[in-house]
Amino acid sequence: MSYAYLILPGIICCGLFAGWILARSLERRSRSSSEEILDELELAYTPRRGIEIRTQTEYLPYVFGCILENVDSGFEDKQVKNLMDRIEEQRPHGSKNALFPVKVSGVRSEIDLQWSRDSEDRVRLFVLAAPKVIRALKKQVRTIPQALVEN
């Protein structure tokens, strides 16, 4: 009975400690979510331009190779192969898209690819990407036979 007067201060200390731990975990969670929101905002305001390319599927590796050369990270050979498989399996008059988070010149961005095929096996590929990638694609497309470019 001589230690009964320590029970109430002990309960208060345990409560304060538990509250401190809870506050720290909530602070970490809110900090990481606010950082994620800032990253999304930065990505949303990264300048991007578009280009539409119409060509045969056999020339698409040259287009994707040009993108690979101008991207620091995020769009790699494995993804190009999977993308080529998806485009070749595409039925005529259907439309699909793919989005790749990338870094271009050290800046985070996205490459948005939308494609469809016509009955003559031509692919209409719309690329929305950083201006550096679009400029390189415009130069590359000039070397592809029978390719049409639209801005």
Side-chain angles (χ1 to χ4, degrees):
M1 204 41 140
S2 62
Y3 296 110
Y5 63 91
L6 294 176
I7 292 176
L8 184 58
I11 291 173
I12 291 173
C13 287
C14 288
L16 288 174
F17 183 69
W20 179 74
I21 290 175
L22 180 64
R24 285 188 51 106
S25 68
L26 289 175
E27 181 183 337
R28 279 193 211 126
R29 189 176 303 158
S30 68
R31 187 181 321 137
S32 65
S33 64
S34 63
E35 288 173 358
E36 290 172 3
I37 290 170
L38 289 175
D39 287 344
E40 287 179 23
L41 283 173
E42 178 185 331
L43 197 58
Y45 291 106
T46 302
R48 294 191 299 170
R49 294 205 174 114
I51 184 172
E52 185 175 309
I53 303 167
R54 295 174 188 238
T55 187
Q56 302 289 335
T57 56
E58 61 200 41
Y59 297 114
L60 287 177
Y62 299 110
V63 173
F64 296 140
C66 180
I67 294 173
L68 281 170
E69 291 173 3
N70 289 283
V71 169
D72 298 338
S73 65
F75 189 66
E76 299 168 2
D77 292 330
K78 181 180 177 184
Q79 292 166 325
V80 169
K81 183 184 178 311
N82 289 337
L83 189 59
M84 286 297 300
D85 292 342
R86 286 180 63 191
I87 292 173
E88 288 174 2
E89 293 170 359
Q90 177 75 30
R91 293 182 183 161
H93 307 295
S95 179
K96 291 199 176 184
N97 66 333
L99 184 67
F100 299 96
V102 295
K103 278 195 176 180
V104 179
S105 300
V107 178
R108 288 182 36 171
S109 184
E110 292 177 339
I111 294 180
D112 188 1
L113 301 168
Q114 301 169 2
W115 67 90
S116 62
R117 292 177 67 160
D118 61 13
S119 56
E120 298 170 4
D121 200 35
R122 290 180 62 92
V123 175
R124 179 202 145 276
L125 177 69
F126 181 75
V127 182
L128 186 64
K132 176 183 175 184
V133 174
I134 298 301
R135 284 190 299 271
L137 281 174
K138 284 181 180 179
K139 290 178 185 175
Q140 178 69 31
V141 169
R142 290 183 199 141
T143 64
I144 297 175
Q146 299 177 349
L148 299 174
V149 178
E150 297 177 20
N151 290 335

